[in-house]
Amino acid sequence: MTDHYDALETRDPAEREAALFARLPEVLRKAMAAPAYANLLRGTDPASITSREALAGLPVLRKSELPALHKAAPPFGGFVADTPGSFARLFTSPGPIFEPEGRQADPWRGARALFAAGFREGDVVLNTFSYHLTPGGFIFDASARALGCAVIPAGPGNTEQQFELIEAYRPVGYSGTPDFLKILLDAAATAGRDVSSIKRALVSGAAFPKSLQEEMKSRGVEAYEAFGTADLGLIAFETAAREGMTVNEDLILEIVKPGTGDPVAPEDVGEIVVTSLDPHHPWIRLALGDLTAALPGPSGCGRTNMRIKGWMGRADQTTKVKGMFVRPEQIAEIGKRHPELGRLRLVVTRAGEADAMTLRAECASAAEALQSNVAATLRAVTKLGGTVELVGTGSLPNDGKVIADER
């Protein structure tokens, strides 16, 4: 039994990078056939975008903006050139955000994640993600069938009927949230039902702490975590190495400073930005609003793609101070105006009965003139007064947080 889905997973990283960026110009041309991308990428020569450095020069599209864009130009905000009828299925997610499913095999790129979790051709899989309007159920259903598995489209809830299905079909695999897996196992133990056929699981959509992972293992289920979205499908997944998550093939993943499109330093925490290479429905620099950091070196499982630590919180830290919104983009602008500064963190507190702001800024030399200049910039950018505290380089935590609301 092979340890890898195919040879793409173990190729030389430079070979993968070259292959991705050789395909990107044509994907950009396809994207710019859609009016919204044509506007967003106006002036871009697709033939020139052949490296990460060039890609980083393009604007990001924020997922948080999609509901308004989709409402203004339904259904896809002008970011899809083809008609809705050219797709296989059409979904909606809270926002609302409207998502199409492609007609190709494994349109959500999930077969690799299931394979890495131990699923194999001929397995029976209990899929408990919802099949109602949102794509979650279909993402894992299509991925399992692409791998050659048979799928029980169970959806969430109704544990009594789930037990009947499990005892009849004896599924070896589970896909769903980790929370519902625990509910299912607990309810089966209480009711004396036999769910012992389930030996492996791929979970997503909720926190999966080490303690819960160990509990699943003690109960005979080897569970792995995957990170994905309704827009892109499976983005990264755990492997047998249990060392972070390996980025999926056919995606370009960047980690940028929150509120910007600028790449972070290696291993720094930042916002996930993804470019997909599906010409039918490409995503170009979609900023997901989720934080992560890259892990150094190759994975112990032999896969050579980029690894990330997994989900580390939300990048959209917008908060309201004295009735005005303060956004990560504004903190990034302060950093641009003062390149001598390192990491920045705006700490929002209460002083008496009023909101108060303190900008903590890393720098090599804490000159008084710099402190007053940064304070002036803070007021100019945010339209709010605040104090500035200059701290030594490396003093602020590497957690991707640029606004800390401590009220």
Side-chain angles (χ1 to χ4, degrees), residues 62-290:
R62 300 201 174 280
K63 183 171 178 174
S64 59
E65 299 170 349
L66 291 182
L69 293 169
H70 285 190
K71 183 177 181 180
F76 305 127
F79 288 96
V80 178
D82 288 318
T83 64
S86 67
F87 293 93
R89 292 188 179 92
L90 303 168
F91 302 104
T92 183
S93 291
I97 298 174
F98 299 100
E99 298 112 353
E101 178 186 80
R103 294 183 180 273
Q104 70 272 33
D106 197 14
W108 306 98
R109 309 174 191 88
R112 293 180 187 280
L114 288 162
F115 188 93
F119 291 64
R120 294 295 183 267
E121 182 178 355
D123 284 353
V124 176
V125 179
L126 181 77
N127 183 29
T128 67
F129 283 106
S130 174
Y131 283 80
H132 182 62
L133 295 179
T134 59
F138 290 92
I139 290 173
F140 285 83
D141 187 299
S143 300
R145 289 187 295 109
L147 189 57
C149 301
V151 179
I152 304 171
N158 198 345
T159 54
E160 187 64 31
Q161 192 170 18
Q162 301 253 5
F163 297 150
E164 292 177 7
L165 288 164
I166 293 168
E167 289 174 344
Y169 287 118
R170 309 302 293 160
V172 70
Y174 166 95
S175 54
T177 66
D179 299 2
F180 188 67
L181 177 57
K182 178 172 169 54
I183 289 170
L184 202 62
L185 296 179
D186 288 347
T190 300
R193 304 300 292 265
D194 182 9
V195 296
S196 61
S197 64
I198 298 175
K199 299 297 184 186
R200 41 190 170 269
L202 184 65
V203 300
S204 191
F208 190 42
K210 189 72 173 177
S211 58
L212 184 54
Q213 188 179 95
E214 290 300 322
E215 181 182 344
M216 294 299 102
K217 188 171 184 178
S218 72
R219 299 171 76 167
V221 182
E222 196 73 44
Y224 291 80
E225 189 175 10
F227 170 70
T229 71
D231 323 87
L232 291 152
L234 275 294
I235 295 170
F237 50 88
E238 264 193 304
T239 73
R242 300 286 191 183
E243 299 169 341
M245 294 185 182
T246 296
V247 174
N248 211 341
E249 300 293 328
D250 296 324
L251 297 175
I252 301 171
L253 189 145
E254 303 170 87
I255 303 174
V256 306
K257 298 174 184 176
T260 77
D262 304 328
V264 298
E267 301 180 44
D268 271 8
V269 176
E271 183 178 6
I272 299 172
V273 171
V274 179
T275 297
S276 69
L277 299 179
D278 176 4
H280 191 198
H281 180 30
W283 287 109
I284 308 300
R285 300 204 84 202
L286 181 64
L288 301 182
D290 295 303

Side-chain angles (χ1 to χ4, degrees), residues 96 103 123 143 162 204 207 233 277 294 303 327 337 341 387 399 401-402:
R103 294 183 180 273
D123 284 353
S143 300
Q162 301 253 5
S204 191
L277 299 179
R303 290 173 179 82
R327 295 179 168 83
R337 296 189 188 186
L341 300 179
T387 60
D399 58 5
K401 186 172 287 188
V402 294

